Amino acid sequence: MSEYSRSNATFKNYAISLGVLVVILLAMAFVVSARSGEHIPSVDYRPDVDVLRESADYPVTVPAEDLVEQGWTPTSSTLDVTGPVRWSVGFATAADSHARLVQSDGDAASVIAESVDDAQPVGTVAVGGREWRHYESDDWGALVLEGDGVTLVVAGSADVDELAHLAEGLETDGTDEADETDETETAAE
């Protein structure tokens, strides 16, 4: 007589099916854990800066190179030179927020309105020896500086400290470094 029983066959098939499912789940867990590190795509905004310097009738302001070393990732760069020159560069901040620099020689009121979203003026913030107008809403903030035919807006979902950090790290062509170079060359003559 045969020792085959339907209950043994069912258990054997159940065990095989369960084993296959466990292998699939382990493979999926491995794939997910291997890809779990967040990867934020980065862009190189320097080519836009080069074109901006050729097109703009004002000293160009750019973010400091050491922002990337501090954990800030440039995520977008858009440049429009067909009308008023407008450049926007966006960053994922070190604290996982978003901030961007907008720079334009267009109508200041329009540039500000487009960049601050629905944020309202709440005062000023001193950054780098200059007073920036501070705008704020529930989920958006902005710092605005107008002058010399150009409007600078630092805005985003980042808190005001991060926005101020970006504003403080801005470098304008023809200031500080160029002045120091001129003084050194004059002293050498």
Side-chain angles (χ1 to χ4, degrees), residues 69-83:
E69 296 167 8
Q70 297 170 14
W72 290 57
T73 304
T75 57
S76 66
S77 179
T78 39
L79 176 64
D80 183 2
V81 295
T82 58

Side-chain angles (χ1 to χ4, degrees), residues 4-5 22 38 51 62 100 120 123 129 134 136 143 152 184 186:
Y4 175 79
S5 77
V22 167
E38 182 179 11
V51 173
V62 297
R100 72 175 179 216
Q120 299 299 313
H134 179 206
E136 198 168 291
L143 300 176
L152 299 175
T184 305
T186 304

Side-chain angles (χ1 to χ4, degrees), residues 72 93 95 97-99 122-127 132-144 154-168:
W72 290 57
T93 71
S97 291
H98 174 75
V122 293
T124 61
V125 174
V127 178
W132 293 66
R133 282 185 288 156
H134 179 206
Y135 291 74
E136 198 168 291
S137 70
D138 291 339
D139 59 351
W140 196 259
L143 300 176
V144 175
V154 174
S157 61
D159 64 24
V160 69
D161 292 334
E162 284 186 299
L163 296 176
H165 182 74
L166 177 56
E168 189 170 15

Side-chain angles (χ1 to χ4, degrees), residues 13-154:
N13 290 339
Y14 173 75
I16 291 171
S17 298
L18 184 61
V20 169
L21 286 174
V22 167
V23 168
I24 291 171
L25 289 174
L26 288 174
M28 288 175 56
F30 175 75
V31 169
V32 169
S33 68
R35 298 181 69 191
S36 67
E38 182 179 11
H39 174 70
I40 300 172
S42 177
V43 300
D44 183 6
Y45 59 85
R46 290 175 293 190
D48 283 349
V49 170
D50 293 339
V51 173
L52 178 63
R53 285 184 171 129
E54 293 172 9
S55 303
D57 293 332
Y58 54 84
V60 172
T61 300
V62 297
E65 294 289 328
D66 66 345
L67 277 177
V68 174
E69 296 167 8
Q70 297 170 14
W72 290 57
T73 304
T75 57
S76 66
S77 179
T78 39
L79 176 64
D80 183 2
V81 295
T82 58
V85 176
R86 180 183 171 99
W87 178 53
S88 175
V89 59
F91 288 91
T93 71
D96 294 329
S97 291
H98 174 75
R100 72 175 179 216
L101 164 66
V102 176
Q103 154 172 205
S104 178
D105 61 359
D107 176 58
S110 297
V111 172
I112 294 167
E114 292 171 6
S115 302
V116 301
D117 288 342
D118 294 328
Q120 299 299 313
V122 293
T124 61
V125 174
V127 178
R130 298 186 283 186
E131 290 292 319
W132 293 66
R133 282 185 288 156
H134 179 206
Y135 291 74
E136 198 168 291
S137 70
D138 291 339
D139 59 351
W140 196 259
L143 300 176
V144 175
L145 184 66
E146 293 178 65
D148 298 332
V150 64
T151 304
L152 299 175
V153 180
V154 174

